[in-house]
Each structure stands twice: as C-alpha cells, then as structure tokens.
Amino acid sequence: MNSREELIESFKRILWLEKEMKDNYSSYRNAMQDEILLSVISEIEADEARHINMAEGILSILKR
C-alpha cells in the first residue's frame, strides 16, 4: 500500500466482501434442515459479523 487512500479502498472492499459472505451464509442457513449444519453455519455467520465489526473499526480509524 502506497497511501492511506489505497488502504481505505482495500478495507472498503474487505468490508463489502465480509457483508456478502454473511448474507450468503444466512441464505444457506435458511435452506438447511440439519441441526448440526445449522449450528456450524450460525457460528460462521457470527465470525463474519466479527469480521465486519473489525473492518468497520479499522475504516473508522483510517478515515480520521
């Protein structure tokens, strides 16, 4: 990364991707019946939510 702006753009892409993944896992969960798989997907969704929070936090710091 050569500049703060490039870093910000990178984290915007990361944030977009994390949100997309969370949405995808949510749609998978809605299509599943197996309780074990539902539990696993819920854990993955929670990880994605944490990733979203981290990316948002980093973006907030970078934009100061």
Side-chain angles (χ1 to χ4, degrees):
M1 301 289 137
N2 292 332
S3 70
R4 181 184 206 108
E5 290 77 27
E6 288 174 331
L7 193 55
I8 289 170
E9 288 306 312
S10 292
F11 271 92
K12 284 181 180 179
R13 288 190 301 273
I14 290 168
L15 179 58
W16 175 83
L17 182 59
E18 294 295 352
K19 286 180 177 181
E20 286 293 309
M21 293 306 298
K22 186 177 182 302
D23 290 346
N24 287 338
Y25 287 121
S26 181
S27 68
Y28 299 155
R29 185 171 35 84
N30 293 332
M32 291 183 176
Q33 302 295 323
D34 184 285
E35 291 299 319
I36 294 171
L37 290 176
L38 285 169
S39 175
V40 171
I41 291 295
S42 292
E43 288 179 36
I44 293 170
E45 271 186 283
D47 281 341
E48 295 301 336
R50 285 189 289 278
H51 297 165
I52 289 167
N53 287 335
M54 285 188 288
E56 288 174 338
I58 292 168
L59 270 172
S60 174
I61 292 167
L62 289 171
K63 289 179 177 181
R64 289 184 191 163

